[in-house]
Amino acid sequence: MKERSEAQAVISLFLRLEELYGDSVAALELGRESKDEDMLREAFASAKKLAQEIERHEFLRKMRGEFDRSHAIIEINAGSGGTEAQDWAEMLLRMYIRWAERKGFELEELDYQPGEGAGIKRAALSIQGDFAYGYLRSEIGVHRLVRISPFDSNARRHTSFASIMVTPELDDDVEVEIDEKDLKTDTYRSSGAGGQHVNKTDSAVRITHIPTGIVVACQNERSQHKNRARAMKTLRSKLFELQQRETADKVKSIQGERKTIDFGSQIRSYVMQPYQLVKDLRTDFETSAVNNVLDGDIDPFIESYLMSEPSKSS
């Protein structure tokens, strides 16, 4: 039924494009024959709409990866630098939350470890929506911030780093064998952003898969049992993804290259002082609207990256 629905969507798309093309041609011919400016304007509007539809679906053609239609799990980790880096990690967390809200995606907080004084050490979110992973895989890597530090009494400029990892979230029908003997489970007290909903018991769960070193955590539920179930689902996704990587190229195309969270390894720079600029170092796409980007307006960066990728076969 899922494949049938996807096929019907493709057919409907081509029928809609064909209709727009027909309307554009008919309006142009009538406008030329009658020299009617209103008809010519209608032809121009139809052609513009057709071009926009083609451009939008040309972008969606890039979403042909094995996991691109899946929900996504995004993990944010502060780099070295203490409070500065932890504050930057929290700024990125807010950016992705705002982006997901704009898309109408659903959010579920899986892990949240506050920093010492400000910001976060790490956080993990489940972002649920069509093509969530397809969009967010473009964000995998190290992000760098340059600004006048609000934590520096001498108002000096600081550079901070944080890393983004994104994993596709698997459906429950995908089977992954996990031996309980390979798991180390730790429980601890939830450490959310604060308020009356923060748990007062050791209900948060951290699971380490010993053979691979993969670590997952969940603390959003009050029940330790539910947190463990959610953490196991995340672990299944990560292990399944690991099993699919048969070559180094597969590793880079799905998970992204693991890099040190430091100078020289960033994929994108966000400069707030002495000038305003956000630049993607892979595509050279840039904008001076730093505040808009940090408020979740990252689609132009996502699209420029995905459109720069070689086309996948049908």
Side-chain angles (χ1 to χ4, degrees):
M1 290 299 293
K2 182 178 179 181
E3 291 175 358
R4 180 174 181 270
S5 176
E6 291 175 1
Q8 285 180 328
V10 173
I11 293 170
S12 297
L13 162 65
F14 278 98
L15 291 174
R16 187 164 66 252
L17 293 178
E18 184 179 42
E19 182 180 355
L20 282 171
Y21 175 74
D23 291 344
S24 301
V25 171
L28 180 60
E29 290 177 350
L30 287 172
R32 282 175 173 173
E33 291 173 4
S34 63
K35 296 182 179 181
D36 186 333
E37 290 187 3
D38 289 338
M39 192 63 69
L40 289 172
R41 278 193 290 271
E42 182 181 333
F44 176 78
S46 295
K48 185 177 180 180
K49 186 175 181 181
L50 174 63
Q52 290 172 339
E53 283 285 304
I54 291 174
E55 183 178 344
R56 184 169 74 89
H57 289 284
E58 177 65 19
F59 167 66
L60 288 178
R61 283 187 67 247
K62 297 294 184 177
M63 303 288 197
R64 302 183 71 87
E66 186 176 359
F67 305 108
D68 281 352
R69 294 191 73 99
S70 303
H71 303 327
I73 298 170
I74 183 168
E75 302 170 54
I76 303 166
N77 288 277
S80 58
T83 302
E84 279 292 334
Q86 292 167 12
D87 187 55
W88 172 224
E90 187 170 44
M91 290 167 67
L92 286 174
L93 174 63
R94 178 186 181 277
M95 182 179 79
Y96 290 115
I97 290 175
R98 295 285 292 123
W99 173 82
E101 289 172 345
R102 290 182 181 205
K103 289 288 186 186
F105 291 163
E106 294 184 12
L107 291 162
E108 180 184 358
E109 183 184 287
L110 303 179
D111 191 22
Y112 185 99
Q113 296 298 315
E116 298 166 359
I120 58 171
K121 293 180 180 178
R122 66 178 180 270
L125 293 173
S126 169
I127 299 182
Q128 300 162 16
D130 206 17
F131 293 112
Y133 176 74
Y135 285 112
L136 287 171
R137 62 184 169 84
S138 65
E139 299 299 292
I140 295 171
V142 176
H143 295 238
R144 180 183 72 169
L145 172 69
V146 180
R147 64 171 175 174
I148 300 295
S149 171
F151 306 101
D152 188 333
S153 58
N154 295 317
R156 289 173 295 189
R157 192 162 61 246
H158 284 245
T159 300
S160 307
F161 299 89
S163 71
I164 304 297
M165 295 300 295
V166 183
T167 305
E169 189 168 334
L170 299 182
D171 294 331
D172 291 333
D173 58 354
V174 178
E175 294 186 5
V176 179
E177 291 187 10
I178 301 177
D179 192 331
E180 287 289 334
K181 293 183 294 184
D182 292 335
L183 303 180
K184 176 188 176 185
T185 303
D186 299 303
T187 59
Y188 57 98
R189 186 162 297 182
S190 297
S191 52
Q196 61 180 342
H197 300 296
V198 176
N199 289 345
K200 302 298 190 295
T201 59
D202 292 345
S203 60
V205 174
R206 183 185 298 111
I207 300 175
T208 303
H209 186 252
I210 298 171
T212 61
I214 293 174
V215 179
V216 296
C218 185
Q219 60 171 322
N220 66 310
E221 300 286 351
R222 289 180 175 272
S223 162
Q224 186 180 117
H225 176 75
K226 290 182 179 179
N227 280 330
R228 189 181 192 282
R230 189 64 181 82
M232 286 296 294
K233 183 175 182 179
T234 302
L235 179 61
R236 285 177 54 253
S237 294
K238 286 180 173 288
L239 288 175
F240 180 81
E241 182 186 25
L242 191 63
Q243 292 169 10
Q244 302 306 301
R245 302 175 194 163
E246 298 176 348
T247 64
D249 287 340
K250 186 73 170 179
V251 174
K252 293 179 182 179
S253 65
I254 293 180
Q255 181 71 23
E257 202 173 351
R258 293 181 181 270
K259 296 183 177 180
T260 304
I261 312 176
D262 209 335
F263 285 95
S265 59
Q266 64 271 7
I267 63 164
R268 190 177 303 152
S269 289
Y270 306 69
V271 181
M272 302 184 74
Q273 282 96 14
Y275 52 87
Q276 300 250 312
L277 183 71
V278 182
K279 181 173 182 177
D280 195 294
L281 304 179
R282 302 162 299 179
T283 64
D284 288 332
F285 181 85
E286 61 184 46
T287 177
S288 60
V290 178
N291 290 332
N292 290 347
V293 173
L294 293 176
D295 197 40
D297 186 15
I298 60 173
D299 276 336
F301 288 94
I302 291 173
E303 292 171 9
S304 66
Y305 175 79
L306 294 180
M307 290 302 291
S308 71
E309 288 186 321
S311 296
K312 297 181 173 67
S313 58
S314 299

